């Protein structure tokens, strides 16, 4: 296939052979994957990014990510929420953004704590939901200050079972 002047082919031994455009490191933009096709190629933004494959940018929110890529796995993503931040997105649950983790025995975020009135983060090195492995770690993530929303969902760690998600005020 392909004529002698088709850009996706190169002559070799009297026949035209497909050129693997994806072998070049600059075929697609940052945060994109390349798929070589017969005589052509396609650039696709990676999971967690949107664009045309040449320019791929992070989503503004976990809700936007879940809406555009509903099969994306739950996990830490880069968000463009008034600046680039790392945030844990619960995609399967509808696009919730983790902004804090709290433990019942701690005074870190007591009612009169200064953490409520400042933009300072606290223990935000690993934005992840509370599990048995990280129970007891209170954290206030950058998403607390930079991701807007009108609804709140609380997750409680039941030490015998798994996370329980009561819904407050609707869906994502």
């Amino acid at each position: 296939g392909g004529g002698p002047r088709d850009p996706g082919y190169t002559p070799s031994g009297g026949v035209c052979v497909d050129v693997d455009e994806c072998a070049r490191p600059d075929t697609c933009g940052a945060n994109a994957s390349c798929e070589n096709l017969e005589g052509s190629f396609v650039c696709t933004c990676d999971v967690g990014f949107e664009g045309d494959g040449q320019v791929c940018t992070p989503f503004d929110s976990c809700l936007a990510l879940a809406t555009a890529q509903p099969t994306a796995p739950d996990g830490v993503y880069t968000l463009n929420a008034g600046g680039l931040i790392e945030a844990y997105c619960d995609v399967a649950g509808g696009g919730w953004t983790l902004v804090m983790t709290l433990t019942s025995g701690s005074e870190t975020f007591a009612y009169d704590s200064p953490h409520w009135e400042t933009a300072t983060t606290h223990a935000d090195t690993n934005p992840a939901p509370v599990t048995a492995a990280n129970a007891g770690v209170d954290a206030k993530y950058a998403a607390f200050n930079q991701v807007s929303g009108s609804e709140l969902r609380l997750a409680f760690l039941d030490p015998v079972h798994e996370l329980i998600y009561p819904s407050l005020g609707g869906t994502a």
Side-chain angles (χ1 to χ4, degrees):
R5 297 180 191 261
D6 287 342
Y9 295 91
T10 187
S12 176
V15 296
C16 292
V17 177
D18 179 52
V19 172
D20 183 0
E21 295 88 354
C22 297
R24 296 190 322 255
D26 61 345
T27 299
C28 298
N31 304 307
S33 301
C34 186
E35 179 184 1
N36 188 53
L37 303 173
E38 184 69 28
S40 187
F41 66 96
V42 174
C43 294
T44 307
C45 293
D46 295 337
V47 173
F49 294 87
E50 61 183 339
D52 62 6
Q54 294 300 321
V55 177
C56 298
T57 57
F59 287 92
D60 294 339
S61 69
C62 292
L63 179 58
L65 167 62
T67 301
Q69 300 176 356
T71 60
D74 296 346
V76 177
Y77 290 92
T78 299
L79 298 179
N80 188 10
L84 297 180
I85 62 167
E86 297 293 309
Y88 183 90
C89 294
D90 179 4
V91 178
W96 293 95
T97 306
L98 181 66
V99 298
M100 296 181 85
T101 55
L102 308 171
T103 57
S104 61
S106 172
E107 294 291 319
T108 303
F109 294 106
Y111 177 78
D112 58 351
S113 166
H115 291 292
W116 297 109
E117 298 178 12
T118 69
T120 304
T121 59
H122 176 76
D124 70 341
T125 57
N126 180 28
V130 176
T131 63
N134 68 355
V137 177
D138 288 341
K140 177 181 170 187
Y141 304 112
F144 182 91
N145 301 307
Q146 291 182 248
V147 175
S148 63
S150 60
E151 298 173 329
L152 173 68
R153 183 175 85 174
L154 301 175
F156 299 98
L157 179 64
D158 177 336
V160 177
H161 301 94
E162 55 189 56
L163 291 177
I164 301 169
Y165 292 107
S167 180
L168 300 176
T171 61

